Amino acid sequence: MSDHHVYKKVEIVGSSKVSIDDAISNAIAESSKRIKNVEWFEVQETRGHVENGKVGHYQVVLKVGFRIENS
């Protein structure tokens, strides 16, 4: 086991018709399929799309932090 860790952050965008929480969960679930060692996220922006006077989609911009393998 290493006595230090090195991390990288990438920006992703998640969306959902259901809620902001669902948009975050969708983004984390999908990014975790492709990025190893995802360990945290930061919500950078929250926004949405309006359709006929109602919320059509929720959208969140996230910074996802993952540990560099073997660090």
Side-chain angles (χ1 to χ4, degrees):
M1 179 183 275
S2 176
D3 61 356
H4 70 280
H5 297 294
V6 176
Y7 298 90
K8 180 165 179 67
K9 291 194 296 188
V10 295
E11 186 173 272
I12 61 173
V13 180
S15 64
S16 170
K17 288 186 174 188
V18 177
S19 69
I20 291 168
D21 288 342
D22 196 48
I24 292 168
S25 294
N26 290 341
I28 296 299
E30 287 300 316
S31 64
S32 292
K33 290 178 185 177
R34 292 159 184 82
I35 301 171
K36 294 181 182 180
N37 306 317
V38 172
E39 295 192 4
W40 80 85
F41 68 92
E42 305 167 11
V43 176
Q44 301 291 302
E45 295 178 40
T46 306
R47 58 180 173 241
H49 177 243
V50 178
E51 295 175 350
N52 301 318
K54 296 182 181 179
V55 176
H57 290 86
Y58 299 90
Q59 195 174 60
V60 292
V61 178
L62 305 171
K63 295 277 185 161
V64 175
F66 62 95
R67 184 177 36 81
I68 301 296
E69 193 136 356
N70 299 322
S71 74

